[in-house]
Amino acid sequence: MNLVVYPEKRQIGQAAAMMFAAQLLKNPRSVLGFATGSSPLPVYESLTALYDQGLLDFSKAVSFNLDEYVGLDRDHPASYHAFMQQNLFSKINLPQENIHIPSGTESDVEQSAKAYDASIAACGGIDLQILGIGNNGHIAFNEPCDCFPDGTHKVQLSESTIAANARFFDSADQVPRFAVSMGIGSIMRARQIILIATGKAKAEAVLGMVKGDITPRCPASILQLHPCVTVFADPDAAALL
Ligand code: F6R
């Protein structure tokens, strides 16, 4: 695990965007894994800037997102579909038909989760996956539990995640209690991973991820076993290392 600490979120965004740029320049047909939440926003801003400068072409790339809330229509302003449109997809030339985000409104969640994993496999797997980390050590919506789930699945969100994500809703009551999330196996099969951690609230989780025992009680700790992970942190998130 490669750990890089930068004082500013802007620098983290630029450095991580450089890794996406290198991947896309090496292979314009790259399969990119995207995340939502505050952590990747500076990366999406830098990717948009590189695209605006004519340096990046997403027209042949394919993307897969980590997760979506169960019960939120894709047009709901707090859905991850809406988040990605607003913060990245409306600003670059990634074709809509190449974009994949788990659906939170399928009647048969299990079936659509299997189909999602099959689509990832059919595209040859994810080349570069970006992750945030939950205050409780979750990656995607794989919450602390007794095992590492493999594929995409329905999860019950923990109280800590509901509280942390309430800022995207009018109140905590409105945060959906369930989500569809890529599993730990899906994430670990990505050939390269970038994880972004910023702010004091992430310090315990970052400590567990980097130096703790590998345990599903801190899901991000499994990344110690991945051969190609770069963690970008700010000094607050790296404070306990
Ligand atoms: C989002 C996701 C989550 C977030 C995590 C951190 O798609 O999968 O794991 O990355 O909850 O969220 P922020 O970045 O908002 O602190």
Side-chain angles (χ1 to χ4, degrees):
M1 192 182 279
N2 179 27
L3 172 72
V4 185
V5 179
Y6 286 115
E8 304 285 342
K9 285 183 191 168
R10 188 180 44 83
Q11 295 165 305
I12 291 176
Q14 286 175 347
M18 278 160 60
M19 292 178 71
F20 272 97
Q23 175 63 46
L24 260 184
L25 293 171
K26 192 171 67 182
N27 177 11
R29 297 182 185 280
S30 290
V31 180
L32 306 175
F34 291 128
T36 57
S38 305
S39 306
L41 284 177
V43 186
Y44 298 160
E45 276 165 29
S46 292
L47 282 177
T48 302
L50 290 171
Y51 172 73
D52 288 343
Q53 291 162 47
L55 293 170
L56 289 184
D57 174 17
F58 292 85
S59 64
K60 297 187 182 70
V62 173
S63 76
F64 286 89
N65 260 76
L66 289 171
D67 38 27
E68 179 57 284
Y69 291 113
V70 167
L72 287 200
D73 192 78
R74 57 177 57 221
D75 297 327
H76 189 288
S79 76
Y80 286 168
H81 281 78
F83 178 99
M84 290 306 299
Q85 278 305 324
Q86 188 187 333
N87 293 296
L88 186 64
F89 297 151
S90 62
K91 301 178 177 180
I92 59 173
N93 67 337
L94 182 61
Q96 284 295 325
E97 62 272 21
N98 293 6
I99 293 171
H100 304 83
I101 303 180
S103 169
T105 53
E106 299 297 320
S107 50
D108 190 340
V109 176
E110 236 172 70
Q111 181 56 36
S112 78
K114 274 200 189 119
Y116 197 71
D117 289 335
S119 307
I120 298 175
C123 290
I126 294 170
D127 292 305
L128 176 58
Q129 174 70 56
I130 187 164
L131 301 173
I133 184 169
N135 299 348
N136 62 3
H138 75 209
I139 45 176
F141 274 139
N142 294 283
E143 301 285 30
C145 67
D146 298 331
C147 66
F148 290 112
D150 182 28
T152 302
H153 61 297
K154 183 176 173 178
V155 285
Q156 180 161 17
L157 299 179
S158 69
E159 285 308 317
S160 137
T161 298
I162 291 167
N165 289 6
R167 69 191 194 278
F168 295 111
F169 295 81
D170 289 337
S171 72
D173 293 352
Q174 290 181 15
V175 182
R177 268 39 188 173
F178 291 90
V180 183
S181 174
M182 269 192 209
I184 293 290
S186 323
I187 293 168
M188 289 295 281
R189 282 188 282 277
R191 286 181 269 280
Q192 192 179 355
I193 294 175
I194 295 171
L195 185 142
I196 296 188
T198 51
K200 270 198 196 96
K202 304 291 172 74
E204 284 280 352
V206 168
L207 177 65
M209 166 176 71
V210 177
K211 291 196 170 162
D213 292 342
I214 297 170
T215 162
R217 305 310 311 170
C218 177
S221 62
I222 192 99
L223 296 175
Q224 292 174 30
L225 299 179
H226 192 284
C228 195
V229 178
T230 302
V231 175
F232 289 109
D234 69 1
D236 282 341
L240 299 178
L241 294 177

